[in-house]
Amino acid sequence: MIAFSVMGMSCRTLLNYLCFGSNVTSETVLKASPVSRLFMLQVGFRNFVSQSDAVFKPEKVAVVTKTTRYEFEQQRYRYAELSEEDLKQLLAMKGSSYSGLLERHNIHTRNVEHIVESLRKEGIEVRVLQRREYNEETVQWADAIISAGGDGTMLLVASKVFDKNKPVVGVNTDPERSEGHLCLPVRYTHSFSDALKKFRRGEFRWLWRQRIRLHLEGTGINPTPVDLHEQQLSLEQHNQAHRITTDSQLRSENYNFTGPHLLPVRGLNEIFIGESLSSSNGLPILPSLPRASYYEISIDDGPWEKQKSSGLNICTGTGSKAWSYNINKLVDQAVEDILKLGTTESGLNIPLNRELIEKVTKEYNKSLVFDPEDSRMFFSIREPIINRVFSSSRQRGFANKVCVRSRCWDACMVVDGGTSFEFNDGAIATINMHEEDQLRTVILTD
């Protein structure tokens, strides 16, 4: 039936059919640049194949749950052997509501129970794990993995999945307090059985989210990560954790001072490179002061450029809605000031009403977001220092490959806000994407 329909289509109709259904017209595709047109066709063919071969009937599912704030506070003070009443008083002193935290915890717990019950009714074997219990063995065991929490839990779950054919599904278990950009639409939180029915009937689309991989090389590199998800480390603890892993590596006979070394993590949202906010030289009596990040950068094998800034963010299409968006977005006030200067300098008589200002702001900010399946990365230099020594020829833009050589003394390379690697003087990071690193997720409509 599909073959017969395609045979009867014109070239333009076929192009439009393959590219996002009716959302994008053939004229839009044909007017696009060659690079954009190629990407749209690649995604269109992938969607066509995904929709015609949509099968999602897992036999074994791992459900990885977030740590609620209530659980975190209990764990935080468990060594002090505090009673529940003591915990109530302690939270009250900090301005937090014990009853409020418990209520959110109970909402999350009930939604997790609903997910698990829905899966088991379908005859699916289920393992429920706290995020701190989640490991590679669980990933290998499961046919699919469900992240029960918010976007942070989804990022953690994705970080350990290296098989691009293993589906990962996010369910927002507390929609009132969590945005859940990476999760199913909110209604499926309370009716997960409906989502399972759609999975069985093939009424969904696979979304292959691109991810970033990192190679680290140079002198004195330490490819051992520090996991930040559960530790909630202070700056001093974070630095101490890196010192411990470095000492351990130095004692190992297998320690490699050069590389390149493929790091054991993939970035779904973004990579951030920058100095830690410390210049206390280990003396606790001195205040912590911000320190500029000093590095050299090369975009797409171009010339190396010395830069100083407050850090470098490199994101995927998935991450373009997250930190990168907030780094680069404009507010109405800034757009209004720029438009006023533009009209004054150009002599043009353009009425700057509120509607125009809001429209320009909206369109600019909208342009910062791109498709999760796009194989390009987007880099942003935060607050670059520009003088006769340091430059920033491109403060932001798309790239297929980014190389960074550290000239920092106390810097880190952080993946998705949860995994940190030392990145100090002499270390070189090569950042790019590979098709095999894609993350298989699902798209369901409301």
Side-chain angles (χ1 to χ4, degrees):
M1 186 67 182
I2 293 175
F4 175 80
S5 300
V6 170
M7 288 292 289
M9 293 180 180
S10 67
C11 178
R12 284 195 173 192
T13 306
L14 174 60
L15 187 64
N16 188 42
Y17 177 73
L18 291 174
C19 292
F20 309 104
S22 59
N23 294 332
V24 177
T25 65
S26 55
E27 286 75 15
T28 300
V29 178
L30 293 171
K31 288 179 181 179
S33 67
V35 173
S36 299
R37 194 183 307 148
L38 176 61
F39 168 69
M40 294 171 78
L41 284 170
Q42 288 173 336
V43 173
F45 276 108
R46 186 184 297 157
N47 292 347
F48 177 72
V49 173
S50 295
Q51 290 167 0
S52 63
D53 189 31
V55 176
F56 189 22
K57 299 178 180 178
E59 296 180 358
K60 298 181 291 185
V61 171
V63 177
V64 183
T65 70
K66 73 175 183 179
T67 300
T68 65
R69 173 74 187 282
Y70 172 77
E71 291 172 315
F72 171 74
E73 294 292 352
Q74 281 192 321
Q75 294 169 15
R76 187 178 182 186
Y77 297 109
R78 68 180 182 272
Y79 295 116
E81 298 182 351
L82 294 181
S83 66
E84 285 293 298
E85 189 59 38
D86 291 334
L87 182 59
K88 286 182 185 179
Q89 295 179 9
L90 184 61
L91 290 172
M93 291 173 61
K94 297 195 300 180
S96 297
S97 167
Y98 173 88
S99 59
L101 296 184
L102 183 58
E103 179 187 4
R104 306 320 305 180
H105 169 77
N106 290 336
I107 289 172
H108 161 76
T109 301
R110 286 194 296 270
N111 287 328
V112 171
E113 291 172 349
H114 168 66
I115 294 168
V116 173
E117 181 181 357
S118 300
L119 290 166
R120 287 178 172 157
K121 281 184 177 179
E122 297 293 328
I124 299 171
E125 185 179 353
V126 182
R127 282 188 188 177
V128 182
L129 308 99
Q130 285 279 344
R131 53 189 287 169
R132 64 179 177 274
E133 302 168 327
Y134 175 59
N135 54 30
E136 287 75 10
E137 186 275 329
T138 301
V139 175
Q140 293 175 2
W141 172 84
D143 297 324
I145 304 172
I146 292 176
S147 162
D151 288 339
T153 308
M154 181 68 172
L155 291 172
L156 168 71
V157 168
S159 70
K160 297 185 187 301
V161 178
F162 294 95
D163 179 358
K164 76 171 188 177
N165 293 313
K166 183 154 297 187
V168 178
V169 180
V171 181
N172 189 348
T173 54
D174 192 1
E176 292 182 12
R177 297 295 177 90
S178 177
E179 188 65 34
H181 282 299
L182 304 178
C183 300
L184 296 178
V186 169
R187 84 173 190 87
Y188 295 111
T189 297
H190 308 293
S191 59
F192 190 69
S193 58
D194 291 344
L196 291 177
K197 291 175 184 176
K198 288 195 171 188
F199 293 156
R200 285 201 314 271
R201 295 194 297 258
E203 297 175 1
F204 66 93
R205 180 173 73 82
W206 293 119
L207 179 64
W208 302 86
R209 295 181 184 271
Q210 296 282 354
R211 294 193 291 178
I212 297 172
R213 65 163 51 183
L214 304 101
H215 283 89
L216 195 60
E217 59 185 305
T219 57
I221 67 169
N222 177 13
T224 303
V226 171
D227 189 350
L228 307 180
H229 280 290
E230 285 299 322
Q231 299 185 50
Q232 301 289 332
L233 296 176
S234 68
L235 176 63
E236 183 179 353
Q237 290 171 318
H238 178 264
N239 292 340
Q240 179 64 23
H242 272 305
R243 285 193 290 272
I244 290 171
T245 55
T246 300
D247 292 343
S248 175
Q249 286 289 334
L250 287 170
R251 288 191 295 269
S252 171
E253 295 179 359
N254 297 322
Y255 185 67
N256 186 348
F257 283 86
T258 54
H261 190 99
L262 178 60
L263 298 184
V265 67
R266 301 292 181 268
L268 178 57
N269 260 5
E270 75 264 320
I271 311 297
F272 179 76
I273 296 174
E275 283 274 10
S276 301
L277 296 179
S278 170
S279 58
S280 62
N281 299 318
L283 300 176
I285 59 172
L286 295 178
S288 293
L289 300 172
R291 178 190 293 166
S293 303
Y294 176 25
Y295 54 88
E296 298 173 37
I297 185 171
S298 168
I299 305 296
D300 290 332
D301 293 319
W304 288 90
E305 184 175 79
K306 289 183 179 180
Q307 291 187 350
K308 268 193 176 182
S309 70
S310 33
L312 168 66
N313 179 290
I314 303 169
C315 79
T316 64
T318 297
S320 65
K321 290 183 177 180
W323 194 3
S324 174
Y325 179 83
N326 288 287
I327 290 172
N328 294 293
K329 72 177 181 181
L330 293 178
V331 296
D332 290 346
Q333 182 181 1
V335 172
E336 182 178 8
D337 291 343
I338 292 170
L339 290 176
K340 283 180 179 178
L341 286 172
T343 54
T344 300
E345 293 298 319
S346 65
L348 296 175
N349 185 20
I350 302 176
L352 299 182
N353 54 53
R354 180 55 49 188
E355 182 180 357
L356 174 64
I357 293 168
E358 290 178 354
K359 182 178 180 181
V360 172
T361 304
K362 180 180 178 180
E363 288 302 312
Y364 172 80
N365 290 338
K366 184 180 176 181
S367 72
L368 299 172
V369 179
F370 60 105
D371 196 288
E373 294 185 324
D374 196 326
S375 58
R376 299 173 298 169
M377 304 176 293
F378 189 83
F379 68 92
S380 306
I381 312 298
R382 296 179 64 211
E383 302 166 329
I385 297 172
I386 301 175
N387 53 35
R388 64 181 181 83
V389 178
F390 300 101
S391 61
S392 180
S393 58
R394 294 178 64 194
Q395 189 169 341
R396 60 181 175 271
F398 286 100
N400 293 310
K401 178 182 178 182
V402 178
C403 294
V404 183
R405 179 185 290 120
S406 177
R407 298 301 183 203
C408 301
W409 296 104
D410 188 22
C412 298
M413 184 162 54
V414 182
V415 182
D416 287 338
T419 306
S420 176
F421 298 87
E422 272 190 282
F423 191 64
N424 291 322
D425 189 34
I428 302 173
T430 300
I431 304 162
N432 53 20
M433 288 180 169
H434 280 259
E435 184 177 356
E436 65 193 72
D437 295 329
Q438 294 171 345
L439 185 72
R440 190 179 198 181
T441 61
V442 296
I443 293 293
L444 283 178
T445 59
D446 289 324

